[in-house]
Amino acid sequence: MADLEDRYIVTVDDVEYDIRLAHRGSDFAIEYNGASHRVAVDKLTEKKFLLKIDNGSTEVDISRDGDGLDIFLEGKEMQVKVEPYNLAELRRRTGAALTGTEDKIIRAPMPGLVLSVAVKAGDTVKKGMTLAIIEAMKMENMIKSSTDGVVTEIFVSAGRAVDKNEKLLELE
């Protein structure tokens, strides 16, 4: 798969998987363990999705649980966390959460559409507070503050498409 764009560490019930993801229109190609699969996701309701993998499909219930997802698939409930590969590697090497000035710049973890920005310049925010919501892969992703601070600048607005790692806002 030569045109891969993104690499993630996906943790499912405490087991980590190294996943590569390429966007192809409204579909995706996922590479895992040397095999490539075509994937499409259709949103059926707020929490119910139709997951199409290669030539099969199944319904899946997905809900947010803090920084992760609760997924109910084929009679099994799973705890899932998706983390960009570079951040997961840095976390592993340092053995701790990221801190410092980089935490002050909040960036888009993946390409998507900004659905809303929950703060404005001058607002005081606490660690874990939702700052914005980005729709990507037909799912709403809450962008949360990794630190306490004050919003000094907002670079995006609702309705704007963003690229991976694009600045969303800055904290002081």
Side-chain angles (χ1 to χ4, degrees):
M1 187 181 300
D3 58 343
L4 292 174
E5 297 177 2
D6 299 311
R7 187 173 180 187
Y8 297 93
I9 297 297
V10 177
T11 305
V12 180
D13 290 337
D14 298 323
V15 178
E16 291 186 351
Y17 300 92
D18 186 350
I19 304 289
R20 294 173 184 253
L21 174 73
H23 302 267
R24 294 187 177 150
S26 62
D27 295 350
F28 304 90
I30 292 178
E31 183 179 284
Y32 167 69
N33 205 19
S36 180
H37 304 278
R38 287 194 68 77
V39 177
V41 179
D42 291 331
K43 188 174 184 176
L44 302 175
T45 66
E46 188 64 32
K47 294 182 179 180
K48 189 173 288 291
F49 298 85
L50 181 62
L51 181 63
K52 301 173 192 171
I53 301 175
D54 295 327
N55 295 321
S57 65
T58 187
E59 287 187 8
V60 59
D61 292 332
I62 302 174
S63 59
R64 282 258 168 222
D65 181 22
D67 292 337
L69 302 169
D70 284 334
I71 296 179
F72 191 77
L73 174 66
E74 297 178 345
K76 294 181 181 176
E77 186 170 346
M78 299 171 270
Q79 302 283 318
V80 177
K81 184 174 182 180
V82 179
E83 190 173 22
Y85 180 82
N86 292 342
L87 289 178
E89 274 298 298
L90 190 55
R91 179 180 47 80
R92 275 191 225 133
R93 289 180 186 176
T94 61
L98 299 177
T99 59
T101 56
E102 188 61 28
D103 284 342
K104 302 296 184 183
I105 304 289
I106 310 299
R107 297 178 184 274
M110 61 188 71
L113 178 69
V114 177
L115 295 180
S116 66
V117 178
V119 295
K120 61 184 181 307
D123 283 356
T124 299
V125 299
K126 297 286 185 190
K127 181 178 179 179
M129 184 176 166
T130 299
L131 303 172
I133 298 175
I134 294 177
E135 183 180 74
M137 298 188 293
K138 299 184 180 181
M139 295 181 57
E140 293 182 5
N141 301 280
M142 289 184 273
I143 309 302
K144 297 186 174 194
S145 178
S146 59
T147 184
D148 295 345
V150 175
V151 178
T152 57
E153 192 165 0
I154 297 174
F155 303 102
V156 296
S157 59
R160 183 168 178 266
V162 292
D163 292 324
K164 180 181 177 185
N165 292 324
E166 186 172 336
K167 286 182 181 179
L168 300 175
L169 50 97
E170 184 172 12
L171 304 176
E172 180 179 87

